[in-house]
Amino acid sequence: MPPRRPLRATAAVALLLATAAACGDTGALRGAGATPTATSPARLWPDLSPAASPAYDFDEADTQTVKGVTVPGDDIRKVDPFAVVRAEIAANPSDYDGSKAPYRGTAERIADCAKGQDRNRCPVLKPYYRDLTGDGRDDLTLGFRLLPTKMTAVRVYTVEKHRLVQVMANDDAVSGVELAGHSVIIRSPSELAGYEYRVQWTWDADQKAMLLTHDEFLHTGGRKHGVRRATPTPSASP
């Protein structure tokens, strides 16, 4: 009987050759197919005179001191959020006061925010605290319902020279709000199914205000029906 070792050796060599053949192209470059030709941006109407001023005023750097609200020890966490909303109602009577005011329901139900009242009817949402201005101290992000509409007011406040200062205001139909870094991201429903509006306000140290840095219309999917978006207001009335 012939020895079996040579047969095993021959089989082992064949296996190694087959493995080497299968793995011979490992790490080699492969073509990705045809690459589309790059095109540079086409400038339209080069002779058009540039605009000297914006057509619409978005109040990008609009800030205002909140009157009648103190900041004990410069600690914004000690500020009463309900008092802040009451101060805005008092400062903007055309928006909140009277039967024809667009947000009269907010003024009517702000009394429900007091202790001992039905807090479920209170239009003021839970306050959030985070350093959005980069000074190492917490700032206040506050939201409240603009009743009887479906809109929500989103505000950001900071402390400057012992005073409470509003550095961002956005009124819109809101489906979500996020804080990321020095930015506030607000998502709003769209009339077009599967899409949403997304705006981003970011702190600007030069202007000492939150500026509207992104305004996007994005495809999200998942919604079967579009929702009519309320007309957004970038900031509160001066």
Side-chain angles (χ1 to χ4, degrees):
M1 176 180 290
R4 293 184 178 181
R5 182 169 297 180
L7 293 177
R8 293 177 180 176
T10 302
V13 171
L15 180 60
L16 290 174
L17 290 176
T19 303
C23 301
D25 60 351
T26 300
L29 297 177
R30 293 186 179 183
T35 303
T37 304
T39 57
S40 60
R43 182 183 178 187
L44 306 185
W45 308 301
D47 297 330
L48 186 66
S49 300
S53 61
Y56 302 100
D57 181 12
F58 284 97
D59 294 334
E60 290 98 339
D62 181 38
T63 63
Q64 49 188 298
T65 300
V66 181
K67 297 181 179 180
V69 178
T70 60
V71 187
D74 287 348
D75 186 355
I76 203 167
R77 287 179 175 267
K78 295 181 180 180
V79 174
D80 183 2
F82 306 130
V84 176
V85 179
R86 292 190 189 99
E88 176 165 330
I89 292 174
N92 300 277
S94 61
D95 290 335
Y96 298 98
D97 188 18
S99 60
K100 295 183 179 180
Y103 312 135
R104 58 193 178 277
T106 300
E108 293 169 356
R109 287 172 52 175
I110 192 67
D112 293 315
C113 299
K115 291 183 178 180
Q117 301 300 318
D118 185 1
R119 288 292 184 91
N120 292 327
R121 288 176 49 83
C122 175
V124 182
L125 305 178
K126 174 185 176 180
Y128 286 89
Y129 300 91
R130 178 180 290 192
D131 180 13
L132 295 173
T133 60
D135 62 357
R137 300 181 301 174
D138 282 338
D139 301 299
L140 169 62
T141 302
L142 188 61
F144 55 94
R145 303 292 188 186
L146 296 172
L147 305 172
T149 72
K150 299 296 184 181
M151 298 172 63
T152 301
V154 180
R155 307 284 187 264
V156 174
Y157 302 89
T158 191
V159 178
E160 292 182 5
K161 298 179 180 179
H162 316 296
R163 300 176 300 173
L164 186 68
V165 179
Q166 178 185 290
V167 294
M168 191 216 83
N170 188 96
D171 299 339
D172 203 350
V174 173
S175 57
V177 180
E178 302 170 7
L179 301 181
H182 301 306
S183 299
V184 179
I185 302 169
I186 303 174
R187 296 185 292 109
S188 301
S190 165
E191 297 178 23
L192 198 60
Y195 290 81
E196 71 175 9
Y197 295 95
R198 191 176 301 173
V199 298
Q200 178 174 326
W201 295 81
T202 303
W203 173 254
D204 186 283
D206 293 332
Q207 299 297 326
K208 294 186 179 300
M210 305 284 288
L211 303 185
L212 183 61
T213 53
H214 292 83
D215 190 349
E216 302 174 291
F217 184 64
L218 302 175
H219 180 264
T220 59
R223 278 205 304 267
K224 295 182 179 179
H225 302 286
V227 179
R228 180 173 293 277
R229 184 195 192 198
T231 302
T233 303
S235 64
S237 301

